[in-house]
C-alpha cells in the first residue's frame, strides 16, 4: 500500500490527521462555506471528489480552509462533517481530455442538464449537487457528469472557454453545449447552456429569473421578462475545448 506522507491510502479521516497539505477523498456529499464562520454556501462537493487542507482550525477559527482538487475551488469546511465520510488519498490531477473527446460527450452533458430541469428545483446560491443549482453550478455539474472538469464560477468559465461570437438574434456560430455569458460590462455574473435554435438552459434566481431551471432565448422577438432581461445583459459565448487542470484560478 502506498504512503501519503505518514498516511496510507484509504486511511479514515480523524481530526488530528487534518494537517496542512493532506488530501482526502469524500465518501459523502459535502457543503463548502464561503467564510470561516456563518452559513454562506460557496459550493458543494459530490461523493468521490477530493480536497486538500490549506489551513487547519486555529484559535477561534473552527473551520478548515480547503480547496477541491478537480477545479482548485477554495472554501471552508466544518471538520466534524468529514468524520466517517473521507479517506486519505494521494494528490492527483483530473483527466485532461482532448477537444475531440470533449465534443463527443456533449450529448451526455445536454442530457444531464435536461434531466435536472425535469426535477422539481429552486435556485440555490452555491448549489452544485442538485436538484437545486446556481447558474454556474449547473454548468459545472453537467460537464463533470461526462468526465469534463471546468471552473466553478461564471466569470471563470467565461475566461476558460474559447470565445464564440454571438449577439441577440445572431447565433449561427454556436453549437449545442456552448456556454452563453451574461452580466455587466465589468464582469460576467450569469451563464447558460446553449441548446440550439437560439435557446439556452439556465438556473436563474427570483429577481430576474424563474427561481430555478428554465429555457430562455436569444431572439429579440421573445418579449417574456426573463429572456428580455438576460438578452440586455448578453456578454458573449464560449466553447469548452479543454479540461481544467485543477489549479486555483484568480
Amino acid at each position: 500500500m502506498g504512503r501519503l506522507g505518514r498516511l496510507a491510502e484509504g486511511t479514515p479521516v480523524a481530526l488530528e490527521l487534518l494537517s496542512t497539505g493532506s488530501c482526502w477523498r469524500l465518501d459523502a456529499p459535502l457543503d463548502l462555506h464561503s467564510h470561516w464562520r456563518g452559513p454562506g454556501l460557496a459550493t458543494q462537493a459530490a461523493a468521490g471528489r477530493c480536497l486538500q487542507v490549506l489551513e487547519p482550525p486555529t484559535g477561534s477559527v473552527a473551520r478548515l480552509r480547503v480547496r477541491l482538487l478537480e477545479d482548485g475551488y477554495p472554501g471552508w469546511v466544518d471538520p466534524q462533517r468529514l468524520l466517517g465520510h473521507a479517506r486519505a488519498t494521494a494528490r492527483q490531477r483530473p483527466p485532461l481530455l482532448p477537444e475531440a473527446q470533449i465534443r463527443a460527450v456533449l450529448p451526455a452533458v445536454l442530457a444531464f442538464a435536461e434531466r435536472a430541469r425535469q426535477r422539481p428545483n429552486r435556485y440555490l446560491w452555491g448549489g452544485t449537487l442538485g436538484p437545486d443549482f446556481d447558474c454556474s453550478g449547473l454548468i459545472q455539474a453537467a460537464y463533470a457528469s461526462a468526465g469534463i472538469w471546468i471552473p466553478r464560477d461564471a466569470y471563470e468559465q467565461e475566461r476558460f472557454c474559447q470565445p464564440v461570437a454571438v449577439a441577440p438574434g445572431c447565433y449561427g456560430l454556436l453549437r449545442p453545449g456552448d456556454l452563453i455569458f451574461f452580466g455587466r460590462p465589468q464582469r460576467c455574473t450569469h451563464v447558460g447552456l446553449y441548446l440550439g435554435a437560439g435557446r439556452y438552459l439556465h438556473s436563474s434566481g427570483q429577481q430576474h429569473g424563474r427561481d430555478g431551471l428554465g429555457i430562455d432565448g436569444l431572439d429579440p422577438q421573445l418579449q417574456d421578462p426573463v429572456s428580455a432581461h438576460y438578452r440586455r445583459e448578453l456578454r458573449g459565448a464560449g466553447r469548452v475545448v479543454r479540461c481544467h487542470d485543477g489549479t486555483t484560478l484568480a
Side-chain angles (χ1 to χ4, degrees):
M1 181 178 293
R3 303 298 296 179
L4 314 169
R6 63 188 179 92
L7 295 178
E9 180 88 33
T11 299
V13 71
L15 295 180
E16 64 271 18
L17 299 180
L18 293 169
S19 58
T20 300
S22 62
C23 297
W24 304 89
R25 184 180 299 277
L26 300 175
D27 293 332
L30 180 70
D31 287 347
L32 276 69
H33 296 281
S34 56
H35 198 260
W36 61 271
R37 64 179 179 180
L41 185 63
T43 193
Q44 298 172 311
R49 292 196 66 177
C50 300
L51 60 81
Q52 182 180 39
V53 176
L54 299 179
E55 297 175 23
T58 56
S60 61
V61 180
R63 287 175 175 165
L64 296 166
R65 187 166 177 264
V66 304
R67 73 180 187 97
L68 296 169
L69 293 182
E70 296 84 1
D71 59 4
Y73 203 74
W76 298 85
V77 171
D78 295 318
Q80 296 286 342
R81 297 290 303 274
L82 292 174
L83 296 179
H85 300 301
R87 298 178 181 274
T89 187
R91 183 174 176 178
Q92 50 195 284
R93 296 175 64 185
L96 303 179
L97 305 181
E99 181 180 355
Q101 194 168 345
I102 292 173
R103 190 163 56 247
V105 299
L106 287 179
V109 172
L110 295 163
F112 176 97
E114 177 57 23
R115 289 194 300 271
R117 186 178 74 90
Q118 296 294 336
R119 299 173 64 188
N121 66 86
R122 299 190 67 182
Y123 181 87
L124 174 64
W125 182 276
T128 315
L129 296 179
D132 302 328
F133 292 95
D134 66 15
C135 64
S136 55
L138 168 69
I139 303 301
Q140 189 190 53
Y143 270 90
S145 73
I148 303 164
W149 283 102
I150 63 173
R152 171 61 179 85
D153 288 341
Y155 75 96
E156 297 172 330
Q157 293 172 359
E158 181 185 51
R159 295 195 306 213
F160 183 79
C161 285
Q162 179 184 87
V164 181
V166 66
C170 300
Y171 42 77
L173 297 179
L174 296 180
R175 302 173 187 166
D178 286 346
L179 307 189
I180 313 295
F181 301 109
F182 308 88
R184 301 180 299 275
Q186 300 83 0
R187 187 180 176 91
C188 175
T189 59
H190 191 70
V191 60
L193 182 67
Y194 188 67
L195 304 178
R199 302 172 305 125
Y200 60 91
L201 173 62
H202 62 145
S203 181
S204 54
Q206 292 184 2
Q207 184 175 5
H208 299 296
R210 303 180 180 279
D211 191 21
L213 274 66
I215 295 174
D216 290 290
L218 299 172
D219 282 317
Q221 65 265 29
L222 296 174
Q223 292 302 312
D224 65 275
V226 179
S227 291
H229 169 79
Y230 284 107
R231 201 163 52 246
R232 288 192 297 270
E233 295 199 343
L234 179 64
R235 285 174 55 91
R239 181 164 299 147
V240 177
V241 297
R242 60 193 174 109
C243 294
H244 190 16
D245 63 4
T247 56
T248 298
L249 303 178

